[in-house]
Every structure is written in structure tokens, then in C-alpha cells.
């Protein structure tokens, strides 16, 4: 083994990342490399000997408060009175569920066209379960919402194991219709509203309505259709997250470009590599950002009917 | 008898469902070291406390997206590191690091310190106070400091570090090497100026 070789691997060696009897042999005979070895080990030990500091006294206390706040942020918001309660049907429960990152979940059912429907169905089931025997007054609704919250927050495994295509609208409202009607959504009904992309799937219709028109649209839905239940899904956290990542990535590239100008040749390659990685990241986000822009101001509407 | 890993998975699932107590139990074994790592990277306890807490809240909020089949420790530290890096980025303190040149007004000056290869006993641990080492560590360039702290203070392997900071192992190796060399030069230089 040559001394220059040893110089290159001395750090790995003291970190036990490589083993080589040749190295041990070399160190036995080479004073210079032995010195380098000792010095490097010394530095490593200097750091290792730095004391482990205790957590500040109030660390756990203040963290606990922050955790409570965080949990509160993730809570469900109770429904507003604009959803009418029909007949003897159980209370309408509104769930605000944090959207799940696409790609981190496994596909539930390959046949289901829109996995969001499955989420809504699960939410619907849970809502029904909890609220069947409840009174209509606000207190009861709130406690119903609370118990749903425990379930929804944990979002049982079935719902979690779904490939939810990323919803680009900040909010989506799903209406569940009772079984009696044979007609669902007629295009004619939507004529007066700012809507787009009306699509029909198996037992469900989807489109986007501009938030300006939403209240009127909602009234129209309740007038013309028999609604069993409805669910609101709040996707804004995910959207804001994506947008922030995009801006940060842009910032980072600008910073890196700047650093590149001032960098030594040694560092240039690494910085250029990082710029490439960051630009890849940006490309990846660009698709989402474009879609977010496209649906800006619109609410996604899903109407589901039973047989 | 349940393994530690299974216990941890259970705590994670309970935390996902909103159980704060479970979450506090879950992070109990990680929080002190995470705080120390942040402290050695950021240089002061207050920032370390803020960033560690911020990171732990992010962990709590994003537990749903944690893949059960990967290492929780690595994932947690990834979040801690990203939080610290963000903080450093936003609060760029102009520290002259050994790795860079700086402008003194009439052209650039390269900081260079000759490695005189002092004998081992001239660099003895007992002569350095804790704060001297920490001060010197703060003069090491950020990206090198991060990996050296993860390696020599926390004890992560090269491959774990590569996972955490999302950088190839080759780069980790060179940063550790440079980081330690920087530290060595800084300490020797301080020693010389005292003498």
C-alpha cells in the first residue's frame, strides 16, 4: 500500500467502513501514515468526547403544547347549516380530512376509476355509523363529529391503502344521493354556473364549480336531488405544501447559481450536480403546480349515487 | 416477547391516530440526541431547541406518510437535518470557513494553513476545552460540519448518513475527510496564535 492510497482512505478506515490487512501492515512500518492515522483519530475522538447536553428544562413541556396545537389544526371542522337535513336521515357530517400524498399509498382496488370515491365512501360509512341514533341539535352533531374524528384521524387501513390521484382543487365536496332517483346530474342544470370538465364514471359524476357560484349551485343540488349525505375534503394543506416546495426549489437554484460563480473549481462539480438534482425536482413539481393553477378558485364536486 | 421494533410500530400507529402520549413515548428515545446533533450543527442551545421541536412537530404531522418498512430513526433525522439546514440558510452568518476564500478588499485571499504535522501529543484532548472545540466546529463549512456531526457525534454509518442527507456515499466520504481536516487546521491555527 502506498502512502497516497492511505491518505485517501484514512477516514473510512478509522470509521470502520473498510477493513484491510494491508492497511494494518502498512501502518506498522510507515511512521508518516501512522502519524496521520493518530491525528485523524484524535480529531474524531475530540468530537466524540464532546459532552452530551441535557434537554432544556422546559423542552418537553413546550413541545407538549405545540403538539396539542398541531393536533388541533388537524381537527375536523363541524358542518355549517347550509347542508339541509332531509327527513329522518341521520345528521349530515362534514369531515375535513387531510389529503394524502399520492405515491405513498398502495392501490386499493385496481378497478376503481376514482379512488377518491372510495375515500368518500369510507368517510360516508363512518359518518353513518356514528350518527344514526343522534339528535339533530348542534351539541349532538359536535360529539358525533368528535367520535368520527377519532376514526377519521386514524383513517382506517382501508382508506390509507389507496392510490389517491392528487386532487388539485383546494376543496372537494361529495354528495351521496339516496337510491330513489334515476336521473343524476343534467348538464342543463349546470348551464348557469361557471363549471368545467363534467365527467361521468360508474355511479358517479365529477366536475368543478367556481367558488363564486358554489352557494347557488349547492342550493340547486338540494332542490333537485335527494341527498343522503355529503362530505367536504380539505386539500389545501397539500396544495400549499406543493407550492412552497416549488418556490423553495426555485430559490435554491438561484442560490446555487450564485454560489457557482464564486466557487472554487473543486466545488464546482458538486454544485453543478446539485443544480441538476434541484432542477429535476423542479420539473417534477412543475406538473403539479400547473394543475393547481388550472383549478385555482374551483371546488371539485363529486356526486355519487347508490343502486 | 415483542421486539423493540414492533413496539415502535405500535406507537407510530397510535400516534397517527392522534394519541399525543404515544407520540411522546415514541420520540423519547430520540429527542435528546436529536437535540444534541442540532446543537452541534447550529452552535447554540436556543436555536437547537427551536429547530428540534419544529422538526418533531413536523414528524408528528407527517407520520401518515412514513413508510413502515423503513427506519424511523433515519426518517426522523432527515426531518431534523432539513429543518436545521433551512434555518442555516435563512440565517446566513458570515463565518469565514477554511474551505473558502474571502475578499479583504483588494482581491481575494485564500485561507490556507500549513499542515505542519504536529506530533500527536501537541494536539491532546485534555488541552482543548469543550467550547474551543465547539467554536472551531462552527468554523467548519456547513455541509462538512453536518456530516461530521452525524458521524462523530451521533455515530451514524456512512450509509445511514447518505440516507439522511440524501447525498451519495462518495460525497459523504469526501465531506467527512474535509470536515475533519478543516477542524484540525482550525484547532492548530488557534493553538499557534495562542503560542
Amino acid at each position: 500500500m502506498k502512502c497516497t492510497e492511505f491518505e485517501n482512505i484514512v477516514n473510512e478506515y478509522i470509521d470502520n467502513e473498510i477493513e484491510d490487512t494491508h492497511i494494518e501492515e502498512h501502518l506498522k512500518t510507515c511512521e508518516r501514515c501512522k502519524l496521520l492515522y493518530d491525528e485523524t483519530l484524535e480529531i474524531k475522538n475530540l468530537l466524540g468526547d464532546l459532552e452530551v447536553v441535557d434537554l432544556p428544562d422546559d423542552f418537553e413541556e413546550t413541545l407538549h403544547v405545540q403538539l396539542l396545537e398541531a393536533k388541533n389544526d388537524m381537527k375536523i371542522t363541524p358542518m355549517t347549516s347550509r347542508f339541509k337535513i332531509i327527513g329522518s336521515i341521520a345528521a349530515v357530517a362534514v369531515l375535513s380530512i387531510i389529503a394524502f400524498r399520492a405515491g405513498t399509498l398502495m392501490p386499493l382496488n385496481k378497478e376503481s376509476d376514482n379512488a377518491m370515491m372510495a375515500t368518500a365512501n369510507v368517510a360516508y360509512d363512518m359518518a353513518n355509523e356514528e350518527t344514526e341514533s343522534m339528535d339533530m341539535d348542534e351539541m349532538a352533531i359536535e360529539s358525533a363529529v368528535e367520535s368520527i374524528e377519532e376514526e377519521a384521524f386514524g383513517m382506517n387501513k382501508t382508506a390509507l391503502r389507496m392510490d389517491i390521484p392528487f386532487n388539485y382543487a383546494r376543496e372537494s365536496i361529495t354528495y351521496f344521493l339516496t337510491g330513489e332517483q334515476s336521473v343524476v346530474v343534467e348538464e342543463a342544470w349546470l348551464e348557469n354556473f361557471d363549471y368545467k370538465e363534467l365527467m361521468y364514471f360508474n355511479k358517479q359524476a365529477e366536475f368543478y364549480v367556481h367558488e363564486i357560484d358554489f352557494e347557488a349551485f349547492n342550493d340547486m343540488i338540494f332542490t333537485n336531488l335527494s341527498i343522503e349525505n355529503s362530505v367536504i375534503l380539505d386539500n389545501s394543506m397539500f396544495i400549499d405544501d406543493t407550492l412552497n416546495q416549488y418556490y423553495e426549489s426555485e430559490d435554491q437554484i438561484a442560490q446555487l447559481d450564485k454560489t457557482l460563480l464564486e466557487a472554487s473549481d473543486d466545488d464546482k462539480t458538486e454544485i453543478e450536480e446539485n443544480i441538476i438534482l434541484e432542477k429535476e425536482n423542479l420539473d417534477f413539481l412543475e406538473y403539479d403546480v400547473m394543475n393547481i393553477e388550472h383549478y385555482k378558485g374551483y371546488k371539485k364536486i363529486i356526486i355519487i349515487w347508490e343502486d | 416477547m415483542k421486539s423493540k421494533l414492533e413496539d415502535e410500530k405500535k406507537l407510530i400507529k397510535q400516534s397517527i391516530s392522534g394519541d399525543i402520549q404515544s407520540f411522546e413515548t415514541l420520540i423519547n428515545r430520540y429527542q435528546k440526541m436529536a437535540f444534541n446533533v442540532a446543537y452541534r450543527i447550529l452552535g447554540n442551545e436556543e436555536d437547537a431547541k427551536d429547530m428540534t421541536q419544529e422538526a418533531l412537530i413536523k414528524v408528528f404531522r407527517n407520520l401518515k406518510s412514513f413508510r413502515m418498512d423503513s427506519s424511523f430513526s433515519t426518517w426522523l433525522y432527515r426531518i431534523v437535518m432539513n429543518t436545521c439546514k433551512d434555518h442555516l440558510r435563512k440565517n446566513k452568518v458570515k463565518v469565514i470557513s477554511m474551505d473558502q476564500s474571502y475578499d479583504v478588499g483588494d482581491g481575494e485571499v485564500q485561507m490556507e494553513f500549513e499542515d505542519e504535522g504536529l506530533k500527536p501529543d501537541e494536539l491532546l484532548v485534555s488541552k482543548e476545552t469543550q467550547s474551543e472545540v465547539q467554536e472551531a466546529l462552527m468554523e467548519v463549512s456547513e455541509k462538512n460540519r453536518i456530516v461530521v456531526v452525524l458521524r462523530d457525534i451521533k455515530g451514524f454509518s456512512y450509509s445511514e448518513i447518505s440516507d439522511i442527507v440524501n447525498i451519495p456515499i462518495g460525497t459523504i466520504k469526501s465531506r467527512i475527510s474535509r470536515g475533519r481536516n478543516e477542524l484540525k487546521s482550525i484547532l492548530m491555527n488557534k493553538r499557534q496564535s495562542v503560542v
Side-chain angles (χ1 to χ4, degrees), chain B residues 3 10 24 26 32-33 46 53 61 80 104-105 108 119 143 146-147 152 161 167 169 171 176 189 194-195:
Chain B
S3 73
K10 188 170 172 208
E24 286 168 328
L26 172 68
K32 190 172 180 181
M33 265 330 273
E46 196 171 322
Q53 287 181 333
R61 282 179 177 278
V80 174
V104 276
E108 292 210 332
K119 301 196 204 78
K143 53 185 188 174
I146 287 176
V147 298
D152 289 338
I161 297 174
I167 283 168
I169 287 191
T171 315
I176 286 180
N189 185 51
V194 167
V195 168

Side-chain angles (χ1 to χ4, degrees), chain A residues 52-56 59, chain B residues 30-42 44-50 52-53 56 77 80:
Chain A
V52 175
V53 177
D54 279 331
L55 288 168
F59 185 89
Chain B
Y30 300 104
Q31 58 187 14
K32 190 172 180 181
M33 265 330 273
F35 171 73
N36 272 272
V37 164
Y39 169 50
R40 296 300 172 190
I41 288 173
L42 300 172
N44 73 86
E45 282 196 36
E46 196 171 322
D47 285 344
K49 173 187 163 194
D50 288 339
T52 307
Q53 287 181 333
L56 290 173
Y77 272 94
V80 174

Side-chain angles (χ1 to χ4, degrees), chain A residues 93-97 116-131 148 151-152 155-156 159 174 176 229-233:
Chain A
V94 170
L95 301 171
S96 180
I97 299 166
M116 194 61 108
M117 172 181 86
T119 317
N121 276 334
V122 171
Y124 168 69
D125 284 337
M126 291 190 305
N128 259 0
E129 230 171 73
E130 301 298 325
T131 62
I148 292 164
E151 280 269 313
M155 218 40 192
N156 66 65
T174 306
F176 294 90
N229 219 331
S230 63
V231 173
I232 296 179
L233 293 167

